[in-house]
Amino acid sequence: MASSFLSFSLLFITVYTADGFMHYVETSCEFNTTKLEDIRFIQSYYYNKLEYTRFDSSVGKYVGFTEYGVKNADYWNNIPSQLAQAKARRETYCLNNVKIDHQAALTKS
């Protein structure tokens, strides 16, 4: 019994660690209307399924959730062009897509 449990545990550990580390960025727009002031742009940075930094247009700056994320947020918030570009994404990224998605949702209902 113990040997079968051990072999199952070793298989699980091998499968779990086989996927390695994963870094990804998730970008989303939250909205109720197509007006720009009602649109919220969020860009989250993840490492190993843990969010470490986020830009939220309603806050207007980067926020860190881990020690590494706080360092990134402080660095990015002190670069005026980086912060201005992130703030502008609400209009450039979200506004056109929200109009398309909102219109599609209205025609389907």
Side-chain angles (χ1 to χ4, degrees):
M1 178 71 179
S3 63
S4 63
F5 174 76
L6 180 62
S7 63
F8 176 75
S9 298
L10 291 175
L11 175 64
F12 177 76
I13 292 169
T14 305
V15 171
Y16 179 74
T17 59
D19 62 351
F21 301 110
M22 192 162 140
H23 177 266
Y24 61 98
V25 178
E26 180 182 89
T27 303
S28 64
C29 301
E30 295 179 2
F31 63 96
N32 287 329
T33 66
T34 58
K35 296 178 185 174
L36 183 60
E37 59 271 3
D38 294 334
I39 298 172
R40 184 175 168 199
F41 172 76
I42 300 170
Q43 190 165 36
S44 300
Y45 297 83
Y46 292 89
Y47 183 73
N48 257 5
K49 302 178 186 176
L50 177 67
E51 183 178 19
Y52 64 90
T53 307
R54 174 190 295 174
F55 176 82
D56 190 337
S57 64
S58 64
V59 176
K61 64 179 185 175
Y62 290 91
V63 178
F65 299 108
T66 64
E67 184 180 345
Y68 176 70
V70 169
K71 289 178 184 178
N72 278 336
D74 289 341
Y75 178 74
W76 291 335
N77 287 331
N78 289 320
I79 302 174
S81 61
Q82 174 81 16
L83 202 54
Q85 184 181 15
K87 289 178 181 179
R89 284 192 197 118
R90 181 174 71 163
E91 184 174 354
T92 58
Y93 180 79
C94 292
L95 190 59
N96 293 327
N97 292 324
V98 164
K99 286 180 181 178
I100 293 168
D101 291 346
H102 189 261
Q103 188 61 34
L106 289 178
T107 59
K108 302 282 185 205
S109 58

